[in-house]
Amino acid sequence: MAQRAQTQFIDIGVNLTSNRFDKDREQVLERALANGIEAIIITGTNARESQQALEMTSLYDNCYCTAGCHPHDAERMSDTDFATIKALHKADKVVAIGECGLDFNRNFSTPESQIRVFKQQLELACELQKPLFLHERDASDTMLELLQEYQSELPPAVIHCFTGSEQALERYLEFGLYIGVTGWICDERRGQELAGMVHLIPDDRLMIETDAPWLTPRDLRPKPKDGRNEPMLLPHIAQKIATCRQQSIEHLAEITYKNAQTFFNLPN
């Protein structure tokens, strides 16, 4: 059995239901544990995948999941789907509502559908007082307007895979949101702005994630042959974030672990 790493991490966003993990899902989780990934939050993006995510948590002790509807799927979400998502939140291992939010970059669903479905999930979060796992791209103004509409009852929320502007970051922090940072920060083309402002995130508002199998760190040497990202690479991302913040990897691991544990109400 592989020796456990000394530094511990929680990966708050892994798309473990992806078919890119079908051949070696168990080995992926074993490698993650060997590299110090003590807990993984599996991302649910629609009713079907949220159900699959919950089923996976019953197979693996250190896995938890979200349940919700991604903005890309908003146009296809039925009343039955929403009822399914709501029912999934009765399970202890479903620890957040989402991935939900707004994506005006790709608009795979119309903005009107996205807003309608996002508001449904905001209302559910207020009702259940479950934290929110948020997706936002090119929609920060509308995102903040909707969050402010529910502000008095809103539970904690994290902007997952933050890739926005410094102005958006400052506004999210002022609102009290947590910020999730991925391997986007390791991209020498697109991630330079994030690398230059990640130090602005207070210690008690930062969480880290791979968003695997997507967003494989571009500065990995050697690069994975299949190009796939996986949770065992989270320490590499954490080291880049720590360097940009002029912090030790040990400090970064400690604060992000504590933040994720508290935010998702995970056991000690």
Side-chain angles (χ1 to χ4, degrees):
M1 185 174 176
Q3 186 177 358
R4 296 277 283 271
Q6 290 184 335
T7 314
Q8 295 182 337
F9 301 92
I10 295 174
D11 191 338
I12 71 160
V14 180
N15 299 285
L16 201 64
T17 60
S18 168
N19 59 14
R20 293 184 70 183
F21 292 121
D22 283 353
K23 293 181 180 178
D24 63 345
R25 192 169 279 110
E26 193 161 338
Q27 290 74 29
V28 165
L29 292 171
E30 288 174 358
R31 288 192 291 270
L33 192 60
N35 282 274
I37 318 305
E38 294 293 312
I40 284 169
I41 313 297
I42 305 171
T43 307
T45 56
N46 55 44
R48 180 179 58 84
E49 290 199 5
S50 295
Q51 179 69 58
Q52 289 174 347
L54 178 58
E55 289 167 2
M56 285 179 188
T57 69
S58 67
L59 299 175
Y60 309 112
D61 288 343
N62 65 329
C63 287
Y64 304 85
C65 72
T66 71
C69 182
H70 192 288
H72 290 345
D73 292 302
E75 210 151 309
R76 293 180 293 278
M77 190 177 84
S78 66
D79 291 343
T80 303
D81 289 335
F82 184 69
T84 298
I85 288 168
K86 185 173 182 178
L88 290 174
H89 281 280
K90 294 175 182 175
D92 290 341
K93 278 205 159 185
V94 180
V95 293
I97 291 170
E99 177 177 1
C100 61
L102 303 170
D103 192 316
F104 295 168
N105 177 272
R106 294 185 176 179
N107 280 323
F108 288 152
S109 291
T110 64
E112 294 76 18
S113 295
Q114 292 183 46
I115 290 168
R116 174 180 54 81
V117 169
F118 184 35
K119 289 181 80 167
Q120 279 183 288
Q121 291 174 95
L122 287 173
E123 289 164 6
L124 182 62
C126 293
E127 176 188 342
L128 301 180
Q129 284 300 295
K130 276 265 189 89
L132 279 156
F133 190 75
L134 300 175
H135 173 104
E136 180 271 306
R137 225 175 152 196
D138 293 349
S140 61
D141 288 345
T142 308
M143 169 73 76
L144 280 163
E145 285 173 14
L146 292 172
L147 292 175
Q148 284 164 353
E149 195 175 318
Y150 295 88
Q151 187 169 12
S152 63
E153 300 175 69
L154 205 65
V158 58
I159 295 285
H160 129 83
C161 188
F162 178 78
T163 58
S165 66
E166 185 171 327
Q167 181 187 24
L169 177 62
E170 289 173 349
R171 292 178 70 195
Y172 285 145
L173 291 172
E174 285 172 13
F175 192 82
L177 301 184
Y178 289 79
I179 307 296
V181 178
T182 64
W184 182 280
I185 199 170
C186 301
D187 189 327
E188 79 287 353
R189 309 159 307 163
R190 303 182 298 175
Q192 289 303 301
E193 186 178 11
L194 179 59
M197 62 179 167
V198 73
H199 69 280
L200 299 173
I201 304 170
D203 277 6
D204 63 355
R205 291 288 159 181
L206 177 65
M207 289 190 269
I208 57 176
E209 52 183 321
T210 56
D211 204 24
W214 324 118
L215 295 180
T216 307
R218 278 179 55 86
D219 59 355
L220 273 176
R221 300 293 184 272
K223 294 177 188 259
K225 288 181 181 177
D226 59 2
R228 184 185 70 175
N229 196 7
E230 59 177 275
M232 75 168 184
L233 299 175
L234 189 63
H236 175 90
I237 297 167
Q239 182 60 68
K240 173 69 173 182
I241 297 169
T243 300
C244 292
R245 289 169 63 85
Q246 297 185 317
Q247 294 175 328
S248 69
I249 186 68
E250 292 79 13
H251 178 75
L252 188 93
E254 181 181 354
I255 61 171
T256 56
Y257 189 100
K258 180 182 177 182
N259 291 343
Q261 189 176 49
T262 302
F263 181 89
F264 293 106
N265 195 28
L266 304 181
N268 292 323

